[in-house]
Amino acid sequence: MHVTGLQLFWFVLIGVLWSGYFFLEGFDFGVGMLLPVIAKSDLERRGLINAIGPIWDGNEVWLIVAGGATFAAFPLWYSTMFSAFYLALFVVLVALIVRGMSFEFRGLRTSTRWRSNWDRVNFSGSLLASLIWGVAFADLLKGIPLNAHHVFTGNLLNLLQPYALLGGLTMVALFVLHGSTFLSLKTTGELHEKAVGAARRVAPIATLVLLAFLTWTYFVARSHGNSGAVPGFIPVTAFLLIAAVSWLVREHLNGWAFVFTGVAILALTVTIFMTLYPNVITSSTAFSDSLSITTAASQRYTLNIMTVIAAIFTPFVLLYQGWTYWIFRKRITLPPTGAKVEA
């Protein structure tokens, strides 16, 4: 069946929402995973948390909107995905909740042990969410057991295939690199130097992991006999941008390094969605059983109503988020050692 203009519009819009989510939440996940790596004292960990404290919850709005848009525009995609990834998505939900609690609860007590425990929660939540998102999207590409009625017939072990685990590892590496380049822009002094050092160490690893994932994706797509609609220059651009980060950081071009990691994450997400097209979930049982855009989509009336709502409210959301980033644009400068720190 032919994909209509409205169905294509909402498939693209959901891809844009996920791209925005990974760009924005990617760096605050990365900061969470860097907490025990580059911050050795409570003062430094407080500095890292202050760098993302005012904006992390706004970044999660993109996830909520992406989930809601999928539910309304492609209900069969939403239900099939939740059936297949029920346990994994439950873990993501718990990870996001406890991670959010860590921002609020950390400062309630001055005990070092109390604060360290919440920092571990922040680290674990950031790592788990990044890993599972990568696994889930790689599974959509590689395929999960779906029958002719698009019902999931597998189990959790079917989702932990090597390609999917590499997808999870790729997301973790990219987000850590994205977080370190973000911190290099948001901090000063010794914390800034540590962030730059972390970016130097992580960039080569992220480059290799991303190259392996993109290469495997190329063969996965062709093994189905349908390589989607992705132009080759998009995944190549993602790889070249990440490969250039090492040089940019060495040359102290930290702003460009952040832009390059962000655009590479956008290019990777676009690659995933365009490789899936015209399907939304690939079936590993038989490719003909894959769930397509046309099968998963809502009726035209629903899509029309959603389009009007999106056209009215999207500019307000973007303006509000832009304003938030402008208000909290100042760099984080740590007070001298021994000074009292605001929790």
Side-chain angles (χ1 to χ4, degrees), residues 15-16 18-24 234 238 259-272:
V16 169
W18 278 106
S19 300
Y21 173 66
F22 287 144
F23 181 98
L24 295 172
I234 295 179
V259 171
F260 274 38
T261 55
V263 175
I265 289 171
L266 295 179
L268 175 62
T269 313
V270 170
T271 298
I272 291 171

PDB file of all heavy atoms in Angstrom, residues 15-16 18-24 234 238 259-272:
ATOM      1  N   GLY A  15      10.557  10.971  13.695  1.00  0.00           N
ATOM      2  CA  GLY A  15      12.016  10.869  13.561  1.00  0.00           C
ATOM      3  C   GLY A  15      12.705  12.134  14.047  1.00  0.00           C
ATOM      4  O   GLY A  15      13.741  12.072  14.724  1.00  0.00           O
ATOM      5  N   VAL A  16      12.109  13.289  13.740  1.00  0.00           N
ATOM      6  CA  VAL A  16      12.674  14.576  14.197  1.00  0.00           C
ATOM      7  C   VAL A  16      12.628  14.667  15.723  1.00  0.00           C
ATOM      8  O   VAL A  16      13.584  15.121  16.375  1.00  0.00           O
ATOM      9  CB  VAL A  16      11.906  15.754  13.557  1.00  0.00           C
ATOM     10  CG1 VAL A  16      12.294  17.075  14.207  1.00  0.00           C
ATOM     11  CG2 VAL A  16      12.170  15.801  12.061  1.00  0.00           C
ATOM     12  N   TRP A  18      12.605  12.183  17.942  1.00  0.00           N
ATOM     13  CA  TRP A  18      13.630  11.302  18.523  1.00  0.00           C
ATOM     14  C   TRP A  18      15.029  11.884  18.318  1.00  0.00           C
ATOM     15  O   TRP A  18      15.891  11.782  19.198  1.00  0.00           O
ATOM     16  CB  TRP A  18      13.541   9.897  17.912  1.00  0.00           C
ATOM     17  CG  TRP A  18      12.485   9.054  18.561  1.00  0.00           C
ATOM     18  CD1 TRP A  18      11.275   8.709  18.038  1.00  0.00           C
ATOM     19  CD2 TRP A  18      12.538   8.469  19.864  1.00  0.00           C
ATOM     20  NE1 TRP A  18      10.573   7.955  18.937  1.00  0.00           N
ATOM     21  CE2 TRP A  18      11.312   7.778  20.063  1.00  0.00           C
ATOM     22  CE3 TRP A  18      13.478   8.454  20.889  1.00  0.00           C
ATOM     23  CZ2 TRP A  18      11.022   7.081  21.240  1.00  0.00           C
ATOM     24  CZ3 TRP A  18      13.204   7.765  22.062  1.00  0.00           C
ATOM     25  CH2 TRP A  18      11.982   7.089  22.228  1.00  0.00           C
ATOM     26  N   SER A  19      15.261  12.505  17.158  1.00  0.00           N
ATOM     27  CA  SER A  19      16.568  13.129  16.907  1.00  0.00           C
ATOM     28  C   SER A  19      16.825  14.244  17.917  1.00  0.00           C
ATOM     29  O   SER A  19      17.919  14.357  18.491  1.00  0.00           O
ATOM     30  CB  SER A  19      16.626  13.707  15.485  1.00  0.00           C
ATOM     31  OG  SER A  19      16.423  12.700  14.520  1.00  0.00           O
ATOM     32  N   GLY A  20      15.796  15.086  18.138  1.00  0.00           N
ATOM     33  CA  GLY A  20      15.939  16.163  19.108  1.00  0.00           C
ATOM     34  C   GLY A  20      16.168  15.626  20.514  1.00  0.00           C
ATOM     35  O   GLY A  20      16.976  16.165  21.276  1.00  0.00           O
ATOM     36  N   TYR A  21      15.456  14.547  20.841  1.00  0.00           N
ATOM     37  CA  TYR A  21      15.618  13.952  22.174  1.00  0.00           C
ATOM     38  C   TYR A  21      17.034  13.430  22.372  1.00  0.00           C
ATOM     39  O   TYR A  21      17.670  13.704  23.403  1.00  0.00           O
ATOM     40  CB  TYR A  21      14.606  12.817  22.343  1.00  0.00           C
ATOM     41  CG  TYR A  21      14.797  12.034  23.626  1.00  0.00           C
ATOM     42  CD1 TYR A  21      14.586  12.628  24.864  1.00  0.00           C
ATOM     43  CD2 TYR A  21      15.199  10.700  23.595  1.00  0.00           C
ATOM     44  CE1 TYR A  21      14.765  11.919  26.042  1.00  0.00           C
ATOM     45  CE2 TYR A  21      15.382   9.985  24.762  1.00  0.00           C
ATOM     46  CZ  TYR A  21      15.168  10.595  25.985  1.00  0.00           C
ATOM     47  OH  TYR A  21      15.361   9.886  27.149  1.00  0.00           O
ATOM     48  N   PHE A  22      17.555  12.706  21.391  1.00  0.00           N
ATOM     49  CA  PHE A  22      18.900  12.150  21.542  1.00  0.00           C
ATOM     50  C   PHE A  22      19.967  13.256  21.548  1.00  0.00           C
ATOM     51  O   PHE A  22      20.987  13.134  22.220  1.00  0.00           O
ATOM     52  CB  PHE A  22      19.192  11.133  20.437  1.00  0.00           C
ATOM     53  CG  PHE A  22      18.448   9.835  20.622  1.00  0.00           C
ATOM     54  CD1 PHE A  22      17.961   9.135  19.528  1.00  0.00           C
ATOM     55  CD2 PHE A  22      18.243   9.303  21.879  1.00  0.00           C
ATOM     56  CE1 PHE A  22      17.272   7.936  19.691  1.00  0.00           C
ATOM     57  CE2 PHE A  22      17.558   8.104  22.069  1.00  0.00           C
ATOM     58  CZ  PHE A  22      17.068   7.417  20.969  1.00  0.00           C
ATOM     59  N   PHE A  23      19.731  14.332  20.768  1.00  0.00           N
ATOM     60  CA  PHE A  23      20.685  15.454  20.771  1.00  0.00           C
ATOM     61  C   PHE A  23      20.735  16.108  22.156  1.00  0.00           C
ATOM     62  O   PHE A  23      21.821  16.345  22.709  1.00  0.00           O
ATOM     63  CB  PHE A  23      20.272  16.487  19.723  1.00  0.00           C
ATOM     64  CG  PHE A  23      21.208  17.670  19.632  1.00  0.00           C
ATOM     65  CD1 PHE A  23      22.187  17.730  18.653  1.00  0.00           C
ATOM     66  CD2 PHE A  23      21.119  18.732  20.535  1.00  0.00           C
ATOM     67  CE1 PHE A  23      23.059  18.821  18.581  1.00  0.00           C
ATOM     68  CE2 PHE A  23      21.970  19.811  20.474  1.00  0.00           C
ATOM     69  CZ  PHE A  23      22.944  19.863  19.489  1.00  0.00           C
ATOM     70  N   LEU A  24      19.552  16.398  22.717  1.00  0.00           N
ATOM     71  CA  LEU A  24      19.501  17.166  23.968  1.00  0.00           C
ATOM     72  C   LEU A  24      19.735  16.291  25.201  1.00  0.00           C
ATOM     73  O   LEU A  24      20.563  16.613  26.050  1.00  0.00           O
ATOM     74  CB  LEU A  24      18.149  17.878  24.071  1.00  0.00           C
ATOM     75  CG  LEU A  24      17.895  18.954  23.006  1.00  0.00           C
ATOM     76  CD1 LEU A  24      16.463  19.448  23.069  1.00  0.00           C
ATOM     77  CD2 LEU A  24      18.859  20.116  23.185  1.00  0.00           C
ATOM     78  N   ILE A 234      24.641  10.349   4.512  1.00  0.00           N
ATOM     79  CA  ILE A 234      24.211  10.650   5.888  1.00  0.00           C
ATOM     80  C   ILE A 234      24.997   9.830   6.913  1.00  0.00           C
ATOM     81  O   ILE A 234      25.595  10.399   7.837  1.00  0.00           O
ATOM     82  CB  ILE A 234      22.687  10.454   6.040  1.00  0.00           C
ATOM     83  CG1 ILE A 234      21.950  11.479   5.180  1.00  0.00           C
ATOM     84  CG2 ILE A 234      22.272  10.600   7.510  1.00  0.00           C
ATOM     85  CD1 ILE A 234      20.446  11.383   5.231  1.00  0.00           C
ATOM     86  N   ALA A 238      27.950  11.172   9.602  1.00  0.00           N
ATOM     87  CA  ALA A 238      27.971  10.891  11.049  1.00  0.00           C
ATOM     88  C   ALA A 238      29.353  10.400  11.467  1.00  0.00           C
ATOM     89  O   ALA A 238      29.915  10.857  12.481  1.00  0.00           O
ATOM     90  CB  ALA A 238      26.904   9.853  11.394  1.00  0.00           C
ATOM     91  N   VAL A 259      29.136  20.840  18.547  1.00  0.00           N
ATOM     92  CA  VAL A 259      28.251  20.850  17.366  1.00  0.00           C
ATOM     93  C   VAL A 259      28.438  19.559  16.560  1.00  0.00           C
ATOM     94  O   VAL A 259      27.460  18.931  16.108  1.00  0.00           O
ATOM     95  CB  VAL A 259      28.542  22.087  16.489  1.00  0.00           C
ATOM     96  CG1 VAL A 259      27.802  21.986  15.159  1.00  0.00           C
ATOM     97  CG2 VAL A 259      28.141  23.364  17.217  1.00  0.00           C
ATOM     98  N   PHE A 260      29.671  19.134  16.379  1.00  0.00           N
ATOM     99  CA  PHE A 260      29.948  17.934  15.572  1.00  0.00           C
ATOM    100  C   PHE A 260      29.355  16.677  16.219  1.00  0.00           C
ATOM    101  O   PHE A 260      28.771  15.835  15.529  1.00  0.00           O
ATOM    102  CB  PHE A 260      31.462  17.763  15.377  1.00  0.00           C
ATOM    103  CG  PHE A 260      32.006  18.529  14.199  1.00  0.00           C
ATOM    104  CD1 PHE A 260      31.530  19.789  13.890  1.00  0.00           C
ATOM    105  CD2 PHE A 260      33.009  17.995  13.389  1.00  0.00           C
ATOM    106  CE1 PHE A 260      32.026  20.512  12.816  1.00  0.00           C
ATOM    107  CE2 PHE A 260      33.500  18.707  12.301  1.00  0.00           C
ATOM    108  CZ  PHE A 260      33.021  19.973  12.015  1.00  0.00           C
ATOM    109  N   THR A 261      29.508  16.533  17.552  1.00  0.00           N
ATOM    110  CA  THR A 261      28.932  15.345  18.195  1.00  0.00           C
ATOM    111  C   THR A 261      27.405  15.382  18.106  1.00  0.00           C
ATOM    112  O   THR A 261      26.761  14.351  17.880  1.00  0.00           O
ATOM    113  CB  THR A 261      29.351  15.237  19.673  1.00  0.00           C
ATOM    114  OG1 THR A 261      29.004  16.442  20.364  1.00  0.00           O
ATOM    115  CG2 THR A 261      30.829  14.979  19.821  1.00  0.00           C
ATOM    116  N   GLY A 262      26.833  16.574  18.280  1.00  0.00           N
ATOM    117  CA  GLY A 262      25.374  16.696  18.193  1.00  0.00           C
ATOM    118  C   GLY A 262      24.840  16.365  16.814  1.00  0.00           C
ATOM    119  O   GLY A 262      23.869  15.613  16.666  1.00  0.00           O
ATOM    120  N   VAL A 263      25.482  16.919  15.782  1.00  0.00           N
ATOM    121  CA  VAL A 263      25.017  16.661  14.411  1.00  0.00           C
ATOM    122  C   VAL A 263      25.235  15.184  14.043  1.00  0.00           C
ATOM    123  O   VAL A 263      24.425  14.584  13.321  1.00  0.00           O
ATOM    124  CB  VAL A 263      25.736  17.595  13.415  1.00  0.00           C
ATOM    125  CG1 VAL A 263      25.348  17.261  11.983  1.00  0.00           C
ATOM    126  CG2 VAL A 263      25.397  19.051  13.717  1.00  0.00           C
ATOM    127  N   ALA A 264      26.304  14.586  14.545  1.00  0.00           N
ATOM    128  CA  ALA A 264      26.541  13.160  14.279  1.00  0.00           C
ATOM    129  C   ALA A 264      25.427  12.309  14.883  1.00  0.00           C
ATOM    130  O   ALA A 264      24.967  11.338  14.263  1.00  0.00           O
ATOM    131  CB  ALA A 264      27.895  12.737  14.858  1.00  0.00           C
ATOM    132  N   ILE A 265      24.973  12.662  16.094  1.00  0.00           N
ATOM    133  CA  ILE A 265      23.861  11.932  16.719  1.00  0.00           C
ATOM    134  C   ILE A 265      22.580  12.115  15.892  1.00  0.00           C
ATOM    135  O   ILE A 265      21.818  11.168  15.680  1.00  0.00           O
ATOM    136  CB  ILE A 265      23.660  12.421  18.170  1.00  0.00           C
ATOM    137  CG1 ILE A 265      24.824  11.918  19.038  1.00  0.00           C
ATOM    138  CG2 ILE A 265      22.341  11.933  18.741  1.00  0.00           C
ATOM    139  CD1 ILE A 265      24.862  12.514  20.438  1.00  0.00           C
ATOM    140  N   LEU A 266      22.356  13.335  15.401  1.00  0.00           N
ATOM    141  CA  LEU A 266      21.202  13.566  14.527  1.00  0.00           C
ATOM    142  C   LEU A 266      21.302  12.710  13.264  1.00  0.00           C
ATOM    143  O   LEU A 266      20.327  12.070  12.843  1.00  0.00           O
ATOM    144  CB  LEU A 266      21.129  15.052  14.137  1.00  0.00           C
ATOM    145  CG  LEU A 266      20.877  16.069  15.248  1.00  0.00           C
ATOM    146  CD1 LEU A 266      20.853  17.490  14.681  1.00  0.00           C
ATOM    147  CD2 LEU A 266      19.567  15.778  15.960  1.00  0.00           C
ATOM    148  N   ALA A 267      22.489  12.669  12.653  1.00  0.00           N
ATOM    149  CA  ALA A 267      22.680  11.895  11.419  1.00  0.00           C
ATOM    150  C   ALA A 267      22.485  10.403  11.665  1.00  0.00           C
ATOM    151  O   ALA A 267      21.926   9.696  10.819  1.00  0.00           O
ATOM    152  CB  ALA A 267      24.073  12.170  10.846  1.00  0.00           C
ATOM    153  N   LEU A 268      22.936   9.924  12.827  1.00  0.00           N
ATOM    154  CA  LEU A 268      22.752   8.503  13.144  1.00  0.00           C
ATOM    155  C   LEU A 268      21.264   8.177  13.295  1.00  0.00           C
ATOM    156  O   LEU A 268      20.788   7.147  12.796  1.00  0.00           O
ATOM    157  CB  LEU A 268      23.504   8.157  14.435  1.00  0.00           C
ATOM    158  CG  LEU A 268      23.312   6.726  14.952  1.00  0.00           C
ATOM    159  CD1 LEU A 268      23.822   5.703  13.936  1.00  0.00           C
ATOM    160  CD2 LEU A 268      24.014   6.527  16.289  1.00  0.00           C
ATOM    161  N   THR A 269      20.518   9.053  13.977  1.00  0.00           N
ATOM    162  CA  THR A 269      19.086   8.812  14.164  1.00  0.00           C
ATOM    163  C   THR A 269      18.353   8.848  12.821  1.00  0.00           C
ATOM    164  O   THR A 269      17.476   8.017  12.559  1.00  0.00           O
ATOM    165  CB  THR A 269      18.487   9.869  15.122  1.00  0.00           C
ATOM    166  OG1 THR A 269      19.325   9.997  16.272  1.00  0.00           O
ATOM    167  CG2 THR A 269      17.100   9.465  15.561  1.00  0.00           C
ATOM    168  N   VAL A 270      18.729   9.807  11.968  1.00  0.00           N
ATOM    169  CA  VAL A 270      18.124   9.877  10.630  1.00  0.00           C
ATOM    170  C   VAL A 270      18.451   8.598   9.853  1.00  0.00           C
ATOM    171  O   VAL A 270      17.593   8.043   9.142  1.00  0.00           O
ATOM    172  CB  VAL A 270      18.637  11.127   9.880  1.00  0.00           C
ATOM    173  CG1 VAL A 270      18.216  11.094   8.410  1.00  0.00           C
ATOM    174  CG2 VAL A 270      18.119  12.391  10.541  1.00  0.00           C
ATOM    175  N   THR A 271      19.672   8.108   9.983  1.00  0.00           N
ATOM    176  CA  THR A 271      20.051   6.861   9.303  1.00  0.00           C
ATOM    177  C   THR A 271      19.159   5.705   9.737  1.00  0.00           C
ATOM    178  O   THR A 271      18.693   4.911   8.904  1.00  0.00           O
ATOM    179  CB  THR A 271      21.525   6.524   9.629  1.00  0.00           C
ATOM    180  OG1 THR A 271      22.357   7.572   9.137  1.00  0.00           O
ATOM    181  CG2 THR A 271      21.937   5.208   8.998  1.00  0.00           C
ATOM    182  N   ILE A 272      18.894   5.609  11.035  1.00  0.00           N
ATOM    183  CA  ILE A 272      18.047   4.523  11.548  1.00  0.00           C
ATOM    184  C   ILE A 272      16.638   4.626  10.964  1.00  0.00           C
ATOM    185  O   ILE A 272      16.085   3.640  10.453  1.00  0.00           O
ATOM    186  CB  ILE A 272      18.016   4.565  13.089  1.00  0.00           C
ATOM    187  CG1 ILE A 272      19.390   4.183  13.654  1.00  0.00           C
ATOM    188  CG2 ILE A 272      16.944   3.633  13.636  1.00  0.00           C
ATOM    189  CD1 ILE A 272      19.541   4.396  15.154  1.00  0.00           C
TER     190      ILE A 272
END
